[in-house]
Amino acid sequence: MRQIPVETSGATVMVAKAPQPKVRDRRTGEIAIDADGVKLMTVDVMFAANDEVEILSITVPEPGISSDLAMGTPVALTGLIARPWENEFNGQKRHGIAFRAVAVTSLAATGSASEAA
């Protein structure tokens, strides 16, 4: 399957929705895991570049997610790739782009305001 690296250096990226477990099967509630048996998570981010803003859902292995990702947190996306997909369900063709990253890391400053004073 074709994988396209996504350049993020010129983009502003912020968490739009806190990380959630990626559900493999909605009927059973089964959580998705990768080939190594690692639990997968989904993080929705606001991706702003070239005067365009998109909300992207990015799949990330659980160990690659910073513990402090809340809505509005600026983040860095490590190893972001886009993967086109297409399937057919009940005679209807669907297609889109799936995004996957190695890590989503908070860029929020660490330390309290009292330390800066």
Side-chain angles (χ1 to χ4, degrees), residues 15-117:
V15 174
K17 184 178 178 185
Q20 304 287 320
K22 181 176 178 81
V23 178
R24 182 171 185 262
D25 186 333
R26 291 184 185 154
R27 291 172 295 168
T28 65
E30 179 184 359
I31 302 300
I33 58 171
D34 67 10
D36 297 322
V38 177
K39 181 177 172 183
L40 296 175
M41 303 291 284
T42 300
V43 181
D44 290 353
V45 299
M46 179 202 73
F47 189 94
N50 303 320
D51 295 326
E52 298 281 331
V53 177
E54 301 263 349
I55 300 295
L56 305 178
S57 289
I58 301 174
T59 300
V60 185
E62 188 174 38
I65 293 181
S66 290
S67 61
D68 52 350
L69 297 184
M71 186 185 298
T73 304
V75 293
L77 304 173
T78 303
L80 182 64
I81 59 165
R83 184 179 295 159
W85 61 269
E86 180 176 287
N87 65 23
E88 190 171 329
F89 184 71
N90 288 339
Q92 293 191 359
K93 285 191 175 185
R94 297 175 21 141
H95 58 87
I97 300 173
F99 293 93
R100 178 145 180 173
V102 173
V104 177
T105 310
S106 172
L107 296 177
T110 56
S112 66
S114 63
E115 291 175 16

